[in-house]
Amino acid sequence: MNNNNKHGVLKAVLWVIAVYHLAFGAVLLTGFNVDNLARSVLGATVEISDQVSYMFKPLGVYTIAFGALSLLTALNPTRHRPMLIGIMTLYVLRLLNHLLQMNTLHEVFKVPDSASYRSIGILSVIIILLAVFWPREDIAEPAEESQDD
């Protein structure tokens, strides 16, 4: 696979990460149908109380911020390598947290094992894709065409 294709795959992965987090963050921030989203996407049963609803709002802000950083990184991964390191680090930590908290997710949120394994698989695939398509020092951004009028 040539360097431009590798760069394109990395950008596509980052765009998916960005769109997912921007959309999920907006739902958390607004509280719109969050219990159905938790059930359908995460397999979790969440009882929405005023306290939980309040806690979702700052989580939504952080999720949107992560989505925005992912979007900026997707625009030029080589240039934004430090943000890419942060994205990779957060995904590794999320995977470790999910592995360590799987019993709690099952007991407290009634997340079925199949949903946990699916989440672990998705997180693992994203980590692998980020690692495999990581921009190397010798891969430069495709040059933009200059327009002399």
Side-chain angles (χ1 to χ4, degrees):
M1 182 177 283
N2 69 34
N3 290 342
N4 285 336
N5 288 345
K6 282 186 169 187
H7 206 71
V9 171
L10 178 61
K11 284 184 172 188
V13 171
L14 290 167
W15 271 96
V16 168
I17 291 170
V19 169
Y20 170 82
H21 284 88
L22 290 169
F24 201 78
V27 169
L28 290 172
L29 188 60
T30 63
F32 178 73
N33 224 4
V34 73
D35 51 341
N36 287 333
L37 182 68
R39 191 177 318 105
S40 63
V41 174
L42 306 173
T45 302
V46 180
E47 296 176 20
I48 306 296
S49 68
D50 289 340
Q51 290 174 329
V52 171
S53 181
Y54 173 80
M55 291 174 63
F56 279 157
K57 299 207 183 326
L59 180 59
V61 170
Y62 281 108
T63 305
I64 289 170
F66 184 72
L69 289 174
S70 299
L71 178 62
L72 289 173
T73 305
L75 297 175
N76 190 336
T78 304
R79 182 173 173 206
H80 300 295
R81 194 179 312 251
M83 289 195 295
L84 193 55
I85 292 168
I87 291 167
M88 173 71 104
T89 301
L90 282 171
Y91 266 91
V92 169
L93 292 173
R94 284 180 61 194
L95 176 62
L96 291 173
N97 182 64
H98 200 93
L99 290 167
L100 295 172
Q101 298 295 323
M102 207 156 73
N103 288 336
T104 303
L105 288 171
H106 180 69
E107 292 170 11
V108 175
F109 295 104
K110 311 297 185 252
V111 174
D113 288 342
S114 60
S116 279
Y117 293 132
R118 182 183 66 226
S119 294
I120 289 167
I122 290 168
L123 291 169
S124 299
V125 166
I126 290 171
I127 291 166
I128 291 166
L129 288 171
L130 290 173
V132 168
F133 297 105
W134 192 268
R136 307 293 180 242
E137 294 294 333
D138 59 338
I139 300 175
E141 269 300 301
E144 295 182 17
E145 292 182 36
S146 62
Q147 296 180 358
D148 296 326
D149 292 71

